Amino acid sequence: MAQAPQEEAQEEAQEELQDELQDELRTVLWPEGDGTPTRVVSCRHCGLKNRIPVPDAVMTPERIDCGGCSGALFLTREEPFEGLSADAYLHGADRRSLNVLRSVPVVPGLLHSVLRYAGDRPAQLMFLSEAIRCDEEQFPELVALVDLARKRLDFPVKPTVYLGESPHMNALTTGVEEPVVVVRSSLLDQMADDELVAILGHEFGHLHASHPLYRTMASVLLRSGGTAWQPLRLVSLPLHRVFLRWGRAAELTADRAGLLACRSLVTSIRVLLTFAGGNRPGTTDRTKIRMEPFIRQCRELAKIESGQGLDGMLAEQLSMDRTHPHVARRVMHLINWVRYGNYLNILSGDYRRRRPRTY
Ligand SMILES: [Zn+2]
Ligand SMILES: [Zn+2]
């Protein structure tokens, strides 16, 4: 079916904005005259080691071919990360917390049923009551986007998808055995398809890393006086703050999954800036996102946070009771992972594969 002229114009404007932001981001991250950083990437087709410029690899991976066999060095958007394990992209702080939670001594069968009734059933019943279940008949376009994100990350289980009403732009995931993804309607009003794929990829990151399982476990521990368990009792902070801190680290892991699903750093950052108030529909000229000033703002915050003085302590204090890290922090973590972490390795097919689930 032909597109309405208004839709076409919107799409064109989005593409134009994407190109502008792409150029801006590249300039601010790798200014000319600083020298171009390079990285060695092994070809997944012929094994040849290629030295490639990092800015090109990050911004336009689809244009980089192997010098030996001419095959695409990085996976295209159509290629899933087959067998990808969440361990490949876990944020360090998330990994450390998960290791503690994984070491909680529990009877496997008991854990299974407790979590099913503490986590899966209440959520399923709640969304069945108050949200709209989506499938091939109900909102098939949304279901197709969910499936696209799932396939790109090669997440093996198809979740139940719900659309729920809310003025707050967010999505959420729950369910230990039977995953549920809930998309809030305001996201559909404001986000383009590639941005939704980034958001849905973020949610699959939570599922992939079994965050709902450990989130449920954490809440069961909190409710049942889990402080009796020695390693947690040794933690000096109140327990709920320990879990909140882990939750914030888990969000950084999920942001990485979002990027792996949409495979565009600009799109991932655009989503975060929209959450922060940018790019409002109907007022896009007045709230048009610019990358360069925001990256400068993020760097200013990072400098303050890393400081030893009162400002550094204050910055830490401000995030202590939050479930999500602040936007500027999320953007910086993502950029640092792309520049210095294993993002490009994963994109080239070099990543840890998962083992079958054991719980
Ligand atoms: Zn090759
Ligand atoms: Zn999240």
Side-chain angles (χ1 to χ4, degrees):
M1 203 169 72
Q3 274 187 318
Q6 201 188 352
E7 255 177 56
E8 243 175 69
Q10 265 176 4
E11 224 167 76
E12 257 175 49
Q14 279 294 338
E15 274 171 29
E16 219 173 275
L17 178 67
Q18 181 82 346
D19 289 345
E20 268 177 46
L21 295 178
Q22 184 102 347
D23 290 346
E24 265 190 45
L25 187 62
R26 189 189 171 106
T27 310
V28 69
L29 294 185
W30 296 282
E32 268 180 44
D34 274 13
T36 306
T38 58
R39 176 91 69 93
V40 173
V41 172
S42 296
C43 172
R44 62 202 155 101
H45 310 291
C46 73
L48 184 80
K49 290 186 189 318
N50 290 258
R51 183 165 285 281
I52 44 139
V54 173
D56 291 347
V58 171
M59 305 312 282
T60 49
E62 68 282 0
R63 291 195 203 146
I64 301 185
D65 294 333
C66 169
C69 69
S70 305
L73 211 49
F74 297 104
L75 271 74
T76 63
R77 282 201 178 91
E78 284 67 42
E79 291 175 280
F81 293 109
E82 269 177 37
L84 178 68
S85 160
D87 270 344
Y89 60 86
L90 279 186
H91 188 274
D94 185 17
R95 186 189 308 278
R96 286 190 291 277
S97 305
L98 284 176
N99 285 341
V100 173
L101 282 167
R102 279 173 186 149
S103 71
V104 174
V106 283
V107 183
L110 183 66
L111 174 73
H112 197 80
S113 41
V114 166
L115 294 181
R116 181 165 162 72
Y117 280 92
D120 284 9
R121 290 308 284 159
Q124 283 163 355
L125 289 176
M126 190 173 80
F127 295 119
L128 209 53
S129 318
E130 66 161 30
I132 304 173
R133 189 167 55 200
C134 312
D135 52 28
E136 282 67 26
E137 289 176 322
Q138 189 78 276
F139 311 141
E141 285 168 2
L142 176 59
V143 172
L145 288 174
V146 174
D147 227 38
L148 184 61
R150 181 178 78 82
K151 283 182 178 153
R152 284 189 184 166
L153 293 171
D154 196 26
F155 184 73
V157 185
K158 242 183 170 177
T160 307
V161 182
Y162 286 97
L163 181 71
E165 206 286 322
S166 170
H168 301 291
M169 279 189 291
N170 72 353
L172 63 96
T173 333
T174 181
V176 173
E177 290 282 293
E178 296 164 43
V180 172
V181 171
V182 184
V183 177
R184 298 298 183 195
S185 53
S186 48
L187 278 181
L188 300 189
D189 300 336
Q190 304 211 199
M191 299 289 185
D193 282 3
D194 60 335
E195 293 172 319
L196 279 170
V197 169
I199 292 164
L200 293 163
H202 172 109
E203 297 309 320
F204 279 109
H206 284 309
L207 292 173
H208 215 178
S210 302
H211 288 154
L213 168 73
Y214 294 107
R215 211 185 288 144
T216 308
M217 222 169 109
S219 76
V220 170
L221 277 171
L222 275 175
R223 272 181 278 160
S224 61
T227 41
W229 187 60
Q230 203 64 17
L232 291 180
R233 203 168 55 176
L234 294 175
V235 174
S236 57
L237 285 170
L239 206 51
H240 77 277
R241 286 223 165 129
V242 174
F243 287 128
L244 279 174
R245 179 181 282 182
W246 162 58
R248 292 194 295 276
E251 293 306 324
L252 301 176
T253 292
D255 282 347
R256 292 178 177 185
L259 174 57
L260 291 172
C262 75
R263 303 188 196 173
S264 159
L265 182 59
V266 166
T267 301
S268 279
I269 297 178
R270 232 173 56 192
V271 165
L272 290 169
L273 291 194
T274 307
F275 283 148
N279 208 18
R280 260 26 218 175
T283 68
T284 40
D285 281 346
R286 270 177 283 150
T287 55
K288 187 174 162 184
I289 291 167
R290 291 275 321 275
M291 280 290 155
E292 200 174 344
F294 191 73
I295 302 298
R296 271 193 269 118
Q297 178 187 331
C298 293
R299 285 176 172 159
E300 191 180 322
L301 176 75
K303 204 170 157 195
I304 292 171
E305 283 184 339
S306 62
Q308 297 297 312
L310 222 52
D311 274 358
M313 276 165 60
L314 189 61
E316 171 74 25
Q317 194 80 27
L318 286 176
S319 57
M320 208 172 255
D321 289 317
R322 289 177 58 94
T323 56
H324 285 62
H326 292 110
V327 166
R329 202 180 245 201
R330 289 171 74 173
V331 169
M332 274 325 278
H333 274 281
L334 207 53
I335 287 175
N336 287 340
W337 181 55
V338 163
R339 294 184 76 168
Y340 311 114
N342 66 339
Y343 168 69
L344 286 177
N345 301 76
I346 296 178
L347 207 57
S348 73
D350 173 17
Y351 53 81
R352 190 178 293 181
R353 261 91 178 154
R354 62 177 170 261
R355 284 175 301 183
R357 294 202 318 179
T358 50
Y359 59 86

